[in-house]
Amino acid sequence: MNRELNELRQSLIAEAVNSPMLLSDLAGMETYISESYNSRSFIELLQNADDAGATDFYVCRFKDYILVANNGRPFNMRDVESLCRSASSNKARGTSIGYRGIGFKSVVSFANEIHLISGDFEITFSRDLSKAEVPQAQRIPLIRIPHSIKEEVSRAISGEVARIKNAGYSTIFIFSGNTANQIDEEYTSFKYTTLLFLNNVKNIRVTLSRSLTASVSNLGKNEHGRKLRISTDSLVSDWLVCTQNGSSIAFYIENGVVARLPKTDALIHAFLPTEDSCGMGIIVNGDFSTDPSRRHLIIDDATKSVISNLCITYSNLLRAYLLSADDDAKGYVEALVPYFDMKLVQLMKQSFEKEFAIQIMEQSVDLFRNIKISPSWFNAVDYHKIMSAQGLTTISPICEKIAGISTLLKYVGCKTDDVAELISFASKCNISILGYAQLVVAGIRSINMNHRIDNFSSVPLFMSDSKLRSLKDINDSSMIDESFVQLLLDNGLTRNDISLCLTKISMDGLRDRQFCENSIEAVKVNERKIEPKNPNVRDWFNSTPDSQTASNETKSIQKWRSAEENTLRTLNANGFCLKDVSTLNVGYDLEGTDPNGKEICIEVKSVDYAGQKFRMTNNEFAAAQFKQDCYYLAIVLQGNDALELSLIKNPVNNLNMNRQCVQWVWECAEYEFRPMKFKL
């Protein structure tokens, strides 16, 4: 034993001899720590290795011993003293994971003796050896007085220690005693997400009753953070870890797309995992204060400060992904939406969620006050078009339908426009027929509640003779297309609502002609059966003479996919540039450009056999009236070995459509089906 270590040993023995009661008290504290840290000893050893700068961490069984090794900085005299003296760690909070200097005492729960080999030190901690030095003490702590390593232990493990050292490990803990098997149970419940926030450790290898390997690798960076991959024996998981001001947010990536973590997995990490959830679909990490077991947060000033920094990171990420045009932004935003209702924050007990909700509202007002969100009655795509035309900032349409997003954004300070403003803006851009119908519905409801909308009758919002026209233009001699009227009714109005509104804004001519009891015949005339302009019209693909026998292969189409998805893949493989908008309720499923670069909108209708009837909703029919030559129907027949697809241009004018009053849809029973075939 070297001189410095012997001096420390003699000093500790002298203290114990002079105050055996104090030594007994330290033994009691050690027992309390080991019980508080129950099932976390393995984690504490990993933490100490990380603080020592280790990149590799190794656990193995050899004979009756368990060896825990790392390749970090070897122990110095100050480190040894920190082990021996309770709560005397030389680590500063914020510079390392541990800072109390008591975590290592947790290992007494699974060993009767502990031996340390590191640098110039070969030490044994043993109650029996310490009892021999201080016989008057009633109880003896395990980690207090250092002894020279037992010769029988040194001989038994010398070969294994040499092997581990040759593998590059510089510090080795050896545990012996009849409770050493406890660590075997602990590592099986090891949370691999621990690797996300360790500063140094990249590889973990455990070979006990079963083997465990875990490693973390860097996949690169994006503008927000580091992409990490954690690999274990049974799984590989990818993460994006975003760090600012010492706090981090980690997003789980599944199959290349961010997935919202269930609340039970969305744990708070104080560098090591606690048992508290952050209440969102992410993992958060920071230098939070925890109870002695490190299982639960303590909401003190230090934790509040970390939460404050975390809110800055959260707000910046939420804003960036809300405004992003990338399709994968939706996953990030979904993960950031809380599981809890922030409006009920005052009713919550003291917790991370409550403190987070309070601080996010205080900090985010300036960041979000200029971002507009669409009213609940207006579709996100058209709202985005209107806001973009005005140069105003709005969230991506793909994020509008995320559950809980509207509540969250209103909480952090986003505003909505009223109907009068939107009607004014709508006159300056081209939105969908559904968008016009939604504006009209909201406008009529507002006017009927005696709210004034000065421009309601002068802005072209209504379909008349298949064109957008204002009420002033229609009032004298025309009528609103009945398909548009039905679209208004589909969105919650009644004919009485429309009639009342026309009365209030002095559009008596239109009201009397179309919306009073005496106008039934006029409505019947307007609700005419549409005769095709060209009954023999041929669809786009059928311009090739041998189209019925053509057999093209498109590897991306599969029979188990939906007709919409297969149509999208087929057309994009043949010169189109389309995207799926079927969830946006704009009156068609696909939109983009045709092989000539012209605008095209496609509604997909799947049939079981050629000539089968299909139906168009009022929304689809009105959109087809509005888009006319840009609007196509894709009649799709999927068999076991081929997909047959027929495109029909401008179906309102080129097909015989009959109004079916039972479901208020438009039905087509006659059409020409001459498809292009694609192998499945």
Side-chain angles (χ1 to χ4, degrees):
M1 182 177 292
N2 67 37
R3 181 181 58 81
E4 286 184 304
L5 179 59
N6 189 53
E7 288 178 357
L8 172 63
R9 167 184 158 78
Q10 295 305 321
S11 173
L12 292 169
I13 291 173
E15 291 174 7
V17 170
N18 292 331
S19 183
M21 288 295 294
L22 175 60
L23 190 66
S24 296
D25 290 344
L26 291 175
M29 185 185 72
E30 186 180 72
T31 301
Y32 169 75
I33 292 171
S34 67
E35 291 173 351
S36 298
Y37 277 60
N38 184 37
S39 301
R40 290 185 61 88
S41 303
F42 174 77
I43 289 293
E44 293 301 327
L45 291 167
L46 178 61
Q47 168 203 302
N48 288 342
D50 191 75
D51 288 340
T55 59
D56 290 28
F57 182 78
Y58 175 53
V59 182
C60 70
R61 182 186 300 279
F62 180 74
K63 297 181 179 179
D64 294 330
Y65 303 95
I66 289 179
L67 288 77
V68 179
N70 68 74
N71 64 347
R73 174 182 55 80
F75 268 62
N76 57 34
M77 192 61 219
R78 192 173 179 184
D79 297 325
V80 174
E81 186 171 4
S82 294
L83 281 185
C84 298
R85 295 189 180 277
S86 300
S88 63
S89 173
N90 57 19
K91 304 171 187 176
R93 180 166 185 164
T95 61
S96 61
I97 296 175
Y99 62 93
R100 293 189 180 97
I102 59 177
F104 185 73
K105 310 305 189 286
S106 65
V107 299
V108 304
S109 64
F110 63 81
N112 287 336
E113 289 186 341
I114 299 174
H115 316 278
L116 168 65
I117 297 175
S118 181
D120 297 330
F121 300 103
E122 294 190 357
I123 301 170
T124 288
F125 291 101
S126 166
R127 289 190 182 92
D128 291 340
L129 294 178
S130 296
K131 181 68 173 175
E133 299 288 349
V134 193
Q136 62 269 44
Q138 293 182 350
R139 291 188 297 172
I140 301 290
L142 176 61
I143 313 290
R144 183 64 176 180
I145 299 174
H147 308 278
S148 296
I149 193 167
K150 282 187 169 182
E151 290 186 10
E152 63 269 27
V153 172
S154 181
R155 287 195 302 271
I157 63 173
S158 59
E160 183 67 4
V161 167
R163 182 187 69 81
I164 293 174
K165 283 186 174 181
N166 289 336
Y169 295 96
S170 53
T171 296
I172 307 170
F173 291 98
I174 301 100
F175 302 93
S176 60
N178 56 20
T179 60
N181 287 337
Q182 182 178 326
I183 197 171
D184 204 348
E185 300 173 5
E186 283 191 27
Y187 87 89
T188 58
S189 60
F190 167 70
K191 287 183 172 59
Y192 65 88
T193 52
T194 299
L195 285 169
L196 290 173
F197 308 112
L198 293 175
N199 296 318
N200 301 296
V201 173
K202 306 300 179 187
N203 303 292
I204 295 174
R205 185 160 65 97
V206 179
T207 56
L208 297 177
S209 61
R210 290 188 296 112
S211 294
L212 164 73
T213 60
S215 62
V216 61
S217 55
N218 197 328
L219 300 182
K221 295 182 179 180
N222 65 16
E223 65 271 29
H224 299 300
R226 298 177 300 144
K227 293 182 178 180
L228 301 178
R229 172 167 292 170
I230 298 177
S231 303
T232 71
D233 301 293
S234 57
L235 61 86
V236 175
S237 64
D238 291 345
W239 301 79
L240 177 71
V241 180
C242 310
T243 303
Q244 292 180 359
N245 301 318
S247 63
S248 301
I249 289 175
F251 296 93
Y252 173 55
I253 302 173
E254 186 176 34
N255 298 323
V257 179
V258 170
R260 190 185 196 201
L261 289 171
K263 186 177 180 180
T264 52
D265 292 340
L267 298 178
I268 300 169
H269 284 229
F271 296 100
L272 302 173
T274 70
E275 295 178 1
D276 294 343
S277 171
C278 70
M280 295 166 280
I282 53 177
I283 291 176
V284 301
N285 176 67
D287 194 15
F288 300 103
S289 298
T290 63
D291 63 10
S293 71
R294 302 194 69 171
R295 283 184 169 86
H296 302 288
L297 263 62
I298 297 174
I299 309 299
D300 58 8
D301 288 342
T303 291
K304 290 180 180 179
S305 177
V306 177
I307 292 175
S308 177
N309 290 333
L310 192 68
C311 285
I312 296 173
T313 306
Y314 177 92
S315 298
N316 288 335
L317 288 170
L318 179 62
R319 190 178 195 278
Y321 286 117
L322 281 171
L323 302 182
S324 173
D326 294 340
D327 290 340
D328 61 355
K330 180 182 178 183
Y332 289 97
V333 176
E334 283 179 331
L336 292 170
V337 173
Y339 283 103
F340 59 94
D341 189 344
M342 287 187 165
K343 294 182 296 183
L344 302 178
V345 60
Q346 297 303 328
L347 303 178
M348 293 180 179
K349 66 179 182 180
Q350 184 76 340
S351 62
F352 172 89
E353 290 100 324
K354 180 173 184 175
E355 187 62 30
F356 179 85
I358 292 171
Q359 293 206 37
I360 199 69
M361 183 171 63
E362 294 174 351
Q363 294 187 24
S364 301
V365 174
D366 291 338
L367 197 61
F368 289 93
R369 73 167 74 244
N370 294 323
I371 296 179
K372 298 294 185 71
I373 55 176
S374 66
S376 58
W377 49 264
F378 197 50
N379 75 84
V381 173
D382 288 329
Y383 185 79
H384 183 72
K385 288 180 181 178
I386 290 175
M387 292 296 103
S388 296
Q390 303 304 311
L392 300 175
T393 303
T394 184
I395 73 173
S396 170
I398 200 170
C399 295
E400 285 276 4
K401 291 184 175 292
I402 294 174
I405 191 62
S406 179
T407 300
L408 171 61
L409 294 181
K410 289 176 182 177
Y411 183 84
V412 297
C414 292
K415 305 296 182 184
T416 59
D417 287 301
D418 61 30
V419 63
E421 289 178 306
L422 289 174
I423 288 174
S424 176
F425 293 152
S427 63
K428 302 173 184 177
C429 63
N430 181 24
I431 62 176
S432 75
I433 198 67
L434 174 65
Y436 288 114
Q438 290 172 332
L439 288 174
V440 169
V441 170
I444 288 176
R445 285 175 171 163
S446 183
I447 290 169
N448 287 350
M449 294 177 66
N450 297 319
H451 298 148
R452 186 172 176 177
I453 302 179
D454 293 332
N455 58 350
F456 186 71
S457 59
S458 60
V459 175
L461 298 173
F462 296 80
M463 288 290 291
S464 177
D465 296 326
S466 298
K467 296 179 181 178
L468 276 176
R469 300 173 67 188
S470 69
L471 285 177
K472 287 183 178 179
D473 292 338
I474 300 170
N475 186 55
D476 292 336
S477 59
S478 299
M479 290 193 294
I480 303 172
D481 288 348
E482 194 61 24
S483 62
F484 190 80
V485 173
Q486 288 302 324
L487 193 54
L488 301 182
L489 303 184
D490 289 347
N491 281 271
L493 289 184
T494 66
R495 287 185 175 272
N496 284 338
D497 293 331
I498 302 171
S499 178
L500 176 60
C501 176
L502 294 175
T503 300
K504 285 178 175 287
I505 60 177
S506 302
M507 295 289 138
D508 300 336
L510 176 59
R511 180 202 63 199
D512 294 342
R513 207 164 33 252
Q514 192 172 2
F515 295 100
C516 68
E517 292 182 4
N518 297 326
S519 65
I520 296 176
E521 291 302 318
V523 171
K524 286 184 177 179
V525 171
N526 196 36
E527 192 183 352
R528 64 193 182 278
K529 179 178 178 181
I530 297 180
E531 298 293 344
K533 292 180 180 179
N534 180 8
N536 296 317
V537 66
R538 297 174 64 187
D539 65 83
W540 203 342
F541 268 151
N542 289 343
S543 60
T544 44
D546 60 346
S547 58
Q548 285 185 298
T549 58
S551 180
N552 294 345
E553 288 194 44
T554 304
K555 293 182 180 179
S556 60
I557 64 174
Q558 302 288 338
K559 60 184 177 182
W560 49 265
R561 291 196 174 103
S562 66
E564 290 81 6
E565 186 174 359
N566 273 338
T567 300
L568 175 67
R569 291 171 178 264
T570 297
L571 294 180
N572 281 346
N574 285 274
F576 290 75
C577 184
L578 302 169
K579 64 179 180 179
D580 187 342
V581 293
S582 57
T583 62
L584 302 179
N585 197 29
V586 291
Y588 42 85
D589 295 316
L590 311 174
E591 72 173 8
T593 56
D594 66 19
N596 298 318
K598 294 182 179 180
E599 178 190 358
I600 187 170
C601 306
I602 300 174
E603 170 64 23
V604 179
K605 297 296 180 185
S606 179
V607 295
D608 295 325
Y609 56 88
Q612 183 185 21
K613 294 179 182 180
F614 64 83
R615 291 174 173 177
M616 296 182 71
T617 65
N618 284 315
N619 186 25
E620 294 163 359
F621 190 85
Q625 278 187 305
F626 183 47
K627 293 289 186 179
Q628 297 194 15
D629 283 349
C630 293
Y631 195 102
Y632 283 74
L633 284 177
I635 311 300
V636 179
L637 175 60
Q638 291 195 120
N640 290 326
D641 58 356
L643 177 140
E644 300 181 61
L645 187 155
S646 179
L647 286 173
I648 302 175
K649 183 178 181 180
N650 196 348
V652 170
N653 290 321
N654 290 323
L655 292 178
N656 191 339
M657 306 290 289
N658 299 301
R659 186 78 183 281
Q660 299 296 313
C661 298
V662 177
Q663 294 183 331
W664 301 112
V665 294
W666 296 83
E667 185 176 84
C668 179
E670 298 178 7
Y671 55 92
E672 187 176 14
F673 186 71
R674 297 185 61 191
M676 179 76 84
K677 280 189 177 182
F678 297 89
K679 288 184 179 179
L680 289 171

